[in-house]
């Protein structure tokens, strides 16, 4: 289950009673970014006497890191890392920790219009595509990481015009192979 408890201690180091709003953000380090840099997911106002401290606790759930998938027509939670940040504002982050999500377990079906990135990240599609294009993919990723990052957003069917061996027929064969293997793996 995707659920985390985030705790921190807030201390008043001043000489008077004071209040602070402790804010919890989630952050995804993506290049290029697809989400806001900081997403507010909780806050708590605490009042502390001079020199006092208190523990503040937040509960994050999968819904706090989910994003709307147009292709799925619903919310999705991707497996992988993300950061939790605590501060007085999004510009005044005082604590940061890395967490990992298990994801929601759903794997989207691949098709001709699935992007290169979706193919590479898919448990079966990445294997099938890698067997067919391993040297070209590795060379491009190493020699031009920026170009490769851009290429990850292009639908596989569009590569038929690039002259790299991904003809319309080859793309159709890859889609068939993934569907056949994916059916066996389920």
């Amino acid at each position: 289950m995707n659920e985390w408890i985030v705790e921190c201690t807030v201390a008043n180091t001043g000489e008077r009673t004071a209040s602070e709003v402790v804010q919890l953000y989630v952050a995804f380090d993506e290049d290029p970014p697809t989400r806001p840099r900081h997403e507010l997911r909780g806050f708590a106002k605490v009042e502390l006497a001079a020199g006092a401290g208190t523990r503040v606790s937040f509960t994050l759930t999968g819904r706090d890191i989910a994003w709307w998938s147009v292709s799925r027509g619903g919310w999705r939670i991707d497996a992988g890392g993300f950061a939790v940040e605590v501060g007085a504002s999004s510009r005044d982050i005082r604590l940061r920790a890395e967490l990992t999500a298990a994801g929601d377990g759903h794997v989207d079906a691949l098709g001709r219009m699935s992007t290169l990135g979706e193919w590479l990240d898919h448990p079966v599609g990445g294997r099938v595509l890698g067997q067919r294009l391993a040297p070209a993919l590795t060379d491009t990723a190493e020699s031009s990481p920026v170009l490769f990052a851009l290429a990850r957003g292009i639908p596989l069917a569009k590569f038929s015009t690039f002259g790299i061996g991904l003809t319309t027929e080859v793309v159709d064969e890859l889609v068939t192979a993934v569907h056949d293997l994916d059916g066996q793996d389920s």
Side-chain angles (χ1 to χ4, degrees):
M1 179 178 194
N2 290 302
E3 185 172 293
W4 305 266
I5 304 296
V6 178
E7 294 181 324
C8 65
T9 300
V10 179
N12 180 351
T13 59
E15 298 176 7
R16 298 179 186 192
T17 297
S19 296
E20 178 74 87
V21 177
V22 182
Q23 299 178 12
L24 174 71
Y25 296 89
V26 294
F28 295 86
D29 294 327
E30 303 174 311
D31 193 28
T34 61
R35 302 172 78 139
R37 174 64 193 93
H38 303 277
E39 296 178 10
L40 181 64
R41 290 297 178 247
F43 61 91
K45 184 175 182 179
V46 294
E47 184 175 322
L48 296 169
T54 189
R55 197 89 173 136
V56 177
S57 181
F58 300 98
T59 301
L60 280 176
T61 67
R63 179 63 184 93
D64 291 310
I65 61 168
W67 60 276
W68 183 262
S69 168
V70 174
S71 62
R72 188 184 296 179
W75 293 98
R76 71 179 286 160
I77 303 168
D78 292 334
F82 67 99
V84 290
E85 300 174 331
V86 178
S89 74
S90 65
R91 293 185 180 152
D92 185 8
I93 300 298
R94 299 178 189 180
L95 296 172
R96 179 180 169 97
E98 301 292 325
L99 298 177
T100 303
D104 58 18
H106 181 82
V107 178
D108 292 331
L110 293 176
R112 298 174 44 75
M113 294 307 289
S114 298
T115 65
L116 175 64
E118 290 169 330
W119 274 82
L120 292 173
D121 296 341
H122 190 275
V124 177
R127 196 169 64 230
V128 169
L129 190 60
Q131 291 169 349
R132 187 69 175 234
L133 298 175
L137 290 172
T138 303
D139 290 348
T140 304
E142 290 175 0
S143 66
S144 182
V146 173
L147 179 62
F148 188 69
L150 290 171
R152 287 181 57 88
I154 298 173
L156 202 62
K158 300 297 182 182
F159 283 98
S160 62
T161 61
F162 284 40
I164 59 171
L166 275 179
T167 64
T168 301
E169 294 78 22
V170 170
V171 171
D172 289 339
E173 289 172 16
L174 291 169
V175 170
T176 300
V178 166
H179 290 184
D180 290 347
L181 289 170
D182 212 15
Q184 292 172 3
D185 290 350
S186 301

